[in-house]
Amino acid sequence: MHLDIVTCLPKLIESPFSDSILKRAQKKGLVTVNIIDLRSYSTDKHKSIDDYAFGGGAGMVMMIEPIDRCLEDLKSQRKYDDIIYMSPDGQKLTQSLANELSLKQNLILLCGHYKGVDERVREHLITREISIGDYVLSGGELAAAVVADTVIRLIPGVLSDETSALSDSFQDDLIAPPVYTRPATYKGWEVPAVLISGHQAKIEAWRHDQSVERTQKRRPDLLSNP
Ligand code: ADE
């Protein structure tokens, strides 16, 4: 997978890709992540990328021209499956959307700032919009990092044990079961006996029951998903 992240604050998004799983995925050659500074596509000497809103009102609006120049440049280098604008009013990110995106080859994530982008960007230049939740961030960078993380970890080979992504919460509309490690007893708090019984079938059945029980208790909405 090739991921281009277009932002006017590149520093804000660099660190999640320079550590741990996301760093390893790039080292293994399973994904390339390119962070692009939108200001380098600005046409004036001040490197402006925003301007006042037509009609007045507080807040600056990201201009269409630098964004269009940037996207044209990227599109001349490869064909993109999706050009995604990070926005609080986009399609809500779910595990199933992450699964879908993990099958794509080339993606652009465009991060908004200030009051957002000129509406013509949304109408003409992008193919979808994604929100990470019903709250407003200062910019799209943290949301883009969340999308990138959830998608990249699903690419085969990124996690050392592929089953660990398949057994994540939400993969089958169930919350993951509880996990324990040594010591088996701590301050008198015991690990469930079944987990140290060595009986694999019983362990799997227990984990499934726990998942269903937890989902009923914490996220009953998941069980009524069509
Ligand atoms: N930009 C600002 N808030 C956002 C959100 N909740 N999701 C995606 N992008 C955003």
Side-chain angles (χ1 to χ4, degrees):
M1 177 182 284
H2 179 88
L3 197 57
D4 283 316
I5 302 177
V6 178
T7 169
C8 53
L9 291 170
K11 280 212 188 79
L12 202 55
I13 197 168
E14 274 159 17
S15 80
F17 298 99
S18 26
D19 229 318
S20 187
I21 289 171
L22 299 190
K23 179 180 180 185
R24 218 172 42 231
Q26 293 170 88
K27 266 200 167 158
K28 282 187 186 171
L30 298 168
V31 62
T32 49
V33 179
N34 193 13
I35 297 171
I36 297 139
D37 187 353
L38 188 59
R39 281 185 203 282
S40 59
Y41 290 91
S42 164
T43 46
D44 66 20
K45 66 173 190 287
H46 303 294
K47 297 262 167 243
S48 328
I49 43 113
D50 59 335
D51 208 337
Y52 296 100
F54 278 128
M60 304 293 276
V61 177
M62 286 171 72
M63 295 186 291
I64 189 168
E65 196 181 354
I67 295 174
D68 190 30
R69 281 161 51 97
C70 174
L71 296 180
E72 282 302 323
D73 185 22
L74 296 177
K75 285 192 287 185
S76 71
Q77 296 167 47
R78 52 175 58 79
K79 194 169 159 21
Y80 287 92
D81 299 292
D82 262 317
I83 301 177
I84 301 166
Y85 174 54
M86 303 311 307
S87 158
D89 47 12
Q91 177 185 3
K92 190 89 65 76
L93 179 65
T94 58
Q95 193 63 45
S96 113
L97 177 55
N99 289 341
E100 183 191 330
L101 294 175
S102 74
L103 302 173
K104 312 271 187 192
Q105 198 90 64
N106 299 312
L107 294 173
I108 296 177
L109 301 180
L110 170 65
C111 306
H113 251 275
Y114 316 110
K115 274 278 159 210
V117 291
D118 186 309
E119 189 64 18
R120 290 166 293 184
V121 170
R122 301 170 77 165
E123 284 169 2
H124 303 291
L125 304 184
I126 59 155
T127 60
R128 74 198 298 168
E129 307 193 4
I130 295 179
S131 162
I132 63 162
D134 289 343
Y135 40 81
V136 178
L137 301 163
S138 312
E141 285 76 12
L142 299 180
V146 168
V147 169
D149 185 294
T150 188
V151 167
I152 290 171
R153 67 196 298 284
L154 294 171
I155 297 171
V158 167
L159 297 182
S160 44
D161 176 3
E162 260 185 58
T163 59
S164 68
L166 295 177
S167 60
D168 280 348
S169 281
F170 308 113
Q171 277 299 4
D172 45 10
D173 278 341
L174 289 177
I175 287 177
V179 291
Y180 300 85
T181 186
R182 286 183 292 179
T185 304
Y186 182 72
K187 291 185 173 175
W189 301 323
E190 305 279 352
V191 165
V194 64
L195 295 179
I196 32 187
S197 67
H199 195 302
Q200 210 51 42
K202 277 191 185 159
I203 292 173
E204 290 314 318
W206 179 86
R207 285 184 170 149
H208 181 73
D209 291 349
Q210 288 286 317
S211 278
V212 173
E213 201 177 292
R214 281 201 157 194
T215 310
Q216 275 162 348
K217 220 187 254 170
R218 296 175 185 214
R219 292 293 307 275
D221 57 302
L222 293 176
L223 297 171
S224 51
N225 272 353

